[in-house]
Amino acid sequence: MHVPDGFIDVPTSAVTAVVAAGALAVGLRGARRELDERTAPLAGLVAAFIFAVQMLNFPVAAGTSGHLLGGALAAILVGPCTGVLSVSVVLLMQGILFADGGLTALGVNITDMAIVTTVVAYAVFRGLVKVLPRSRRSVTGAAFVAALLSVPAAAVTFTLLYAVGGTTDVAIGKVAGAMIGVHVLIGVGEAAITALTVGAVIAVRPDLVYGARGLRQGLKLRVNGVLVDAPEPTAPVAARTSRRALWISGLAASLVLAGFVSSYASASPDGLEKVAHDHGIDTKTKEHASAGSPLADYGVEDVSDARLSGGLAGVIGVGTTVVAGSAVFWAVRRRRTSPPAEVR
């Protein structure tokens, strides 16, 4: 789904850049409300985890692969505004360091992969949790459905942007059919990854999951054969896992996924690449401005072993993303807690 330079014309790319800038400004303001001293460190980790899992392309059809987009996962774990920022940090790191996603198309990619996926997923998620029983299982199920729908929503958005500013003459009906068809399949993988990750975090620290705030697993007692609510405990229940342990384990998992598991990912082109090649959308693709980067194409320059090169690139990517993301969210959190300036 990373759109390279040359797929969308300059005027449309400029408009999406303005849209993306406006959404990021709103996201920065909204993230101040979503983040607190407990959840702010998690936001940088979420960005690093999304970067790592995006390296794990999985097969979805003959000669086609897909990977996590991450908008649904980020929105549910840390909030929609913070989620937009998290995915945007990932896209920025990928574009600058790894030549993945065009720099002139950065506005297109942020609009499509960060804004649309996050907004659609969180809207669906909130709608479902309002009508479902307030339980951990309901939150996980809602996360699955929200993530599943967010991916074809991004495919529809790309199709609309291509209809407005595509640089090649391809029938929009063909583009829409191919994009939506393959991304419905990719959405199943997105949904599975999102539900498993949200479920894992809820199992150990439900208080840190933005989408599960207010969730209670009330204790039931059987009295005379009837289940009744147990009295509320007078003291808070100790967390099963500390925030530091969760952060360290999450970072370790990200490093293992990007540094080792990624070498076993599918080498087939992803959904957009496959559609673009099959239908001639990529005939005017331009060379990436960062094509000469020592990390271009997720490999370390001058390292001949492919697995070692890709693994080192993945580790570097996770490290730079967690640092960049943590710096952004630390600044946002500090802005929220800073006292107002005196008026003289």
Side-chain angles (χ1 to χ4, degrees):
M1 188 65 76
H2 292 77
V3 179
D5 296 319
F7 275 25
I8 306 296
D9 62 23
V10 173
T12 306
S13 297
V15 171
T16 58
V18 173
V19 171
L24 292 178
V26 172
L28 287 169
R29 293 178 63 88
R32 296 177 200 167
R33 297 188 300 270
E34 294 171 351
L35 297 174
D36 56 30
E37 68 280 356
R38 299 175 305 150
T39 58
L42 183 62
L45 176 62
V46 167
F49 183 78
I50 290 173
F51 176 92
V53 180
Q54 283 195 1
M55 293 185 66
L56 309 180
N57 281 50
F58 48 85
V60 294
T64 310
S65 69
H67 63 71
L68 182 80
L69 298 186
L73 178 62
I76 295 165
L77 287 180
V78 293
C81 293
T82 309
V84 169
L85 298 179
S86 295
V87 180
S88 297
V89 168
V90 174
L91 294 172
L92 188 61
M93 294 297 102
Q94 291 170 332
I96 293 175
L97 298 179
F98 299 93
D100 189 9
L103 295 184
T104 62
L106 186 59
V108 173
N109 286 319
I110 290 177
T111 299
D112 197 21
M113 295 179 64
I115 301 171
V116 170
T117 58
T118 301
V119 171
V120 169
Y122 197 71
V124 173
F125 175 81
R126 292 306 305 171
L128 289 174
V129 296
K130 284 183 179 180
V131 299
L132 293 173
R134 290 292 291 169
S135 68
R136 296 177 183 178
R137 190 170 298 177
S138 296
V139 171
T140 303
F144 183 95
V145 176
L148 176 65
L149 296 178
S150 70
V151 178
V156 170
T157 301
F158 170 79
T159 303
L160 294 175
L161 291 173
Y162 180 81
V164 174
T167 56
T168 53
D169 187 17
V170 180
I172 195 63
K174 291 183 178 180
V175 176
M179 284 293 293
I180 296 170
V182 72
H183 285 90
V184 167
L185 299 177
I186 294 172
V188 176
E190 177 100 11
I193 295 169
T194 301
L196 287 171
T197 305
V198 170
V201 179
I202 286 180
V204 294
R205 287 302 298 264
D207 59 309
L208 296 182
V209 178
Y210 185 88
R213 288 184 177 179
L215 176 66
R216 289 185 182 181
Q217 287 293 98
L219 180 64
K220 297 285 187 179
L221 297 179
R222 187 175 295 278
V223 179
N224 297 325
V226 179
L227 288 176
V228 298
D229 293 328
E232 291 290 332
T234 55
V237 179
R240 294 172 59 183
T241 303
S242 69
R243 280 178 285 159
R244 177 175 294 182
L246 178 65
W247 197 91
I248 292 174
S249 60
L251 180 61
S254 301
L255 291 170
V256 170
L257 291 173
F260 176 71
V261 181
S262 63
S263 63
Y264 298 95
S266 173
S268 299
D270 67 21
L272 176 59
E273 290 174 325
K274 179 66 172 174
V275 171
H277 177 74
D278 289 348
H279 295 277
I281 297 174
D282 60 354
T283 55
K284 293 188 178 180
T285 303
K286 298 179 181 178
E287 184 179 21
H288 199 286
S290 298
S293 166
L295 298 173
D297 297 323
Y298 297 94
V300 177
E301 191 176 25
D302 298 329
V303 176
S304 57
D305 185 274
R307 287 191 174 182
L308 178 60
S309 177
L312 288 174
V315 169
I316 293 170
V318 168
T320 54
T321 303
V322 76
V323 169
S326 297
V328 169
F329 297 120
W330 177 82
V332 170
R333 174 61 188 156
R334 185 182 181 190
R335 186 75 176 270
R336 171 179 170 175
T337 56
S338 297
E342 290 186 16
V343 178
R344 298 186 179 182

